[in-house]
Amino acid sequence: MPQFEISDLITVTDPRSLRRAPVRRDDVLRTLAEAGNRRAARIVGTLPVDGDGVLDPAAVDRLLIGVHTELQRLSEEMRIGERVLHLLGPLLEAIRETAEPGARLRLVDIGCGLGYLVRRLAATRALGPGVELIGVDLDAALAGEAARLAQAEGLDCRFVHANAFDLPEAATVYVSTGVLHHFRGPALAEFLQAQAASSAVAFCHFDIAATPITPLGAWVFHRARMRHPLGRHDGVASARRAHSDETLLHAADIPGIRPLVYEPRGLANPFCTTLRPLLGIRPHLEEPFRRAMGRASRRLVGPERFAA
Ligand SMILES: C[S@@+](CC[C@H](N)C(=O)[O-])C[C@H]1O[C@@H](n2cnc3c(N)ncnc32)[C@H](O)[C@@H]1O
């Protein structure tokens, strides 16, 4: 049975035109019924519709902003900012070492949601000077709320309602948190290939680590820390959809890209590892990146670790 996240079904944006499509509640309910997901159907059944049975877009936006606000709290508790920085710091050191002196770097967070990561990097200025910070999301309400928060916090970063691959300026590094599991089947490799085909020199995507205890851990954590039933449902559904280390490394095995996973299964304590990153770096960066990581670079592994 396919696993669905409710948030993927109740708001649909065309990635080319950025236009939002009307979503009929009955269509979502049919999809969930076919997947045998009665709990999700009960949650969707409570959402308001207009006279034609179309979900009220303003109510959906309010709901998703509320759920993402709760998600931000989880990101704070799981110290996502620090974990990302643990890798991005040395990665940018390696990029600066190999780039033209004084080159401006651009970091693009794909599917930034409320922009927690970019706002955190901007607030701490942890990546140093000369790094432009941009968050991008296909969802207009989330990108708009991220921009509003950044302005209220007086931060030097930007949020754009766009398809990350249609930006006028290319990224130096693409990042994301909690996005990879949304790409199923061939879409995962296509997502990574689009970045490999750009002038970016690296990507670093943090997503839920697939371990035997991930769904149970996600259930306990989301039950304890999230109030909205949609957030609780989608938290567990996303853990069930988490990609294995092997799947990620295989999808990122692209000419001109060295794929690496940090703290893969077997090298990390499954009780502590919630999100772990897939990296793809241009091959010339591997040596300076490992050097900048120091002893921790032993936890960076490529597909060879899983070869039979
Ligand atoms: C689960 S949410 C991300 C959550 C957020 N990163 C966080 O940590 O709170 C996934 C987001 O990816 C966005 N998305 C997917 N593909 C995208 C693309 N090509 N460009 C921009 N945003 C994209 C979706 O609109 C959705 O809001």
Side-chain angles (χ1 to χ4, degrees), residues 49-114:
V49 288
D50 68 11
D52 295 326
V54 171
L55 289 171
D56 174 357
V60 167
D61 287 349
R62 275 195 303 277
L63 176 58
L64 290 183
I65 288 175
V67 167
H68 277 78
T69 302
E70 291 196 333
L71 254 182
Q72 165 163 325
R73 229 178 22 231
L74 286 195
S75 299
E76 286 163 4
E77 288 176 2
M78 293 192 300
R79 298 174 44 252
I80 296 301
E82 285 84 340
R83 286 179 189 216
V84 174
L85 200 57
H86 177 60
L87 286 153
L88 275 190
L91 183 59
L92 288 200
E93 205 177 311
I95 293 171
R96 284 189 177 104
E97 194 181 315
T98 53
E100 297 284 312
R104 235 184 121 62
L105 310 178
R106 183 175 297 119
L107 179 131
V108 172
D109 182 4
I110 305 177
C112 62
L114 296 185

Side-chain angles (χ1 to χ4, degrees), residues 68 110-113 136-139 142 162-165 177-179 182-183:
H68 277 78
I110 305 177
C112 62
V136 190
D137 207 295
L138 281 174
D139 187 295
L142 295 178
N163 181 337
F165 302 113
T177 53
V179 168
H182 288 272
F183 294 96

Side-chain angles (χ1 to χ4, degrees), residues 259-282:
L260 294 165
V261 166
Y262 186 63
E263 295 190 326
R265 194 172 161 189
L267 275 189
N269 178 344
F271 291 95
C272 302
T273 311
T274 44
L275 274 81
R276 55 90 181 86
L278 167 73
L279 292 116
I281 59 177
R282 299 295 176 198

Side-chain angles (χ1 to χ4, degrees), residues 15 25 34 49 68 89 97 133 154-155 231 246-247 253 255 258 283 302:
R25 188 171 66 189
E34 281 166 14
V49 288
H68 277 78
E97 194 181 315
L133 299 170
L155 299 175
E246 292 91 327
T247 300
D253 207 351
R258 166 70 168 143

Side-chain angles (χ1 to χ4, degrees), residues 9 22-34 44 53:
L9 300 177
V23 178
R24 288 176 45 78
R25 188 171 66 189
D26 282 350
D27 293 343
V28 179
L29 292 176
R30 193 170 317 111
T31 302
L32 292 170
E34 281 166 14
V44 172

